[in-house]
């Protein structure tokens, strides 16, 4: 029983092992050409320019696997504040669609961010969610908050949560 040949390469009926260089080249191509689209969208959003709006839309439609990269990017204070606020909004929309606890926890964590705009965006997102479970965290944030804009967002959040609670009670 002779093994088949293909261009001088012996093929055995049970397996074919490609040359090591081909495997390495394929891995390199897949790593470079098929990187994580969420990471690419985050990078495009941060860079600004022509691809930023498309990246914002893609991130707003992202699935559950985007939670960790979004939170990591929000935490990174090297990123522009504008981009971090947009990332908070994307995390809010993801939480709204998929109810992933880590997305909610990321928004609560953002209440302690050193940047007032990020804290305000997180408070606004929690208010839009009607997140009654965030009241204690919001109260703690309000006690130490020095930025008037963020204080206003937290007060608006309390109002949003109150309206949610009132509407839910009236429906009963």
């Amino acid at each position: 029983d002779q093994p088949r040949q293909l261009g001088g390469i012996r093929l055995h009926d049970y397996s074919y092992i490609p040359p090591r260089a081909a495997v390495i080249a394929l891995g390199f191509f897949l790593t470079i050409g098929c990187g994580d689209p969420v990471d690419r969208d985050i990078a495009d959003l941060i860079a600004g320019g022509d691809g930023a709006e498309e990246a914002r839309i893609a991130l707003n439609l992202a699935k559950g696997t985007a939670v960790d990269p979004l939170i990591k990017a929000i935490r990174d204070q090297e990123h522009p504040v504008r981009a971090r606020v947009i990332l908070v909004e994307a995390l809010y929309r993801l939480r709204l669609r998929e109810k992933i606890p880590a997305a909610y926890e990321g928004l609560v964590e953002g209440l302690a961010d050193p940047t007032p705009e990020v804290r305000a965006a997180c408070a606004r997102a929690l208010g839009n969610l009607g997140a009654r479970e965030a009241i204690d965290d919001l109260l703690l944030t309000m006690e130490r908050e020095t930025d008037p804009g963020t204080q206003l967002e937290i007060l608006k959040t309390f109002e949003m949560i109150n309206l949610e609670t009132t509407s839910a009670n009236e429906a009963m």
Side-chain angles (χ1 to χ4, degrees), residues 14 48 71 114 160:
Y14 57 88
I71 292 172
M160 298 274 297

Side-chain angles (χ1 to χ4, degrees), residues 2-145:
Q2 293 289 332
R4 291 185 251 160
Q5 289 195 4
L6 176 65
I9 298 173
R10 298 174 107 178
L11 300 175
H12 296 280
D13 289 335
Y14 57 88
S15 71
Y16 170 68
I17 301 172
R20 182 179 171 158
V23 172
I24 292 171
L26 179 61
F28 180 75
F29 169 75
L30 291 174
T31 301
I32 299 301
C34 300
D36 185 2
V38 172
D39 289 335
R40 259 196 324 264
D41 289 334
I42 290 171
D44 289 347
L45 179 71
I46 290 165
D50 295 339
E53 183 60 21
E54 187 175 319
R56 184 189 66 77
I57 292 168
L59 289 168
N60 282 335
L61 299 172
K63 300 291 183 199
T65 56
V67 170
D68 289 337
L70 284 170
I71 292 172
K72 182 180 175 191
I74 292 166
R75 286 178 184 153
D76 190 339
Q77 295 174 36
E78 297 294 317
H79 297 325
V81 173
R82 153 203 67 75
R84 293 174 63 218
V85 168
I86 293 170
L87 293 169
V88 167
E89 293 166 0
L91 187 62
Y92 152 72
R93 286 182 177 83
L94 180 58
R95 167 65 177 158
L96 195 61
R97 280 191 321 276
E98 299 200 16
K99 308 289 189 254
I100 298 171
Y104 167 80
E105 292 161 11
L107 294 171
V108 171
E109 178 187 321
L111 293 172
D113 192 272
T115 309
E117 294 89 346
V118 173
R119 292 193 305 272
C122 289
R124 186 170 39 257
L126 290 166
N128 288 339
L129 288 172
R132 294 187 61 205
E133 62 271 23
I135 289 175
D136 288 340
D137 294 305
L138 288 161
L139 285 170
L140 288 172
T141 302
M142 187 64 169
E143 287 176 7
R144 67 176 182 261
E145 186 57 59

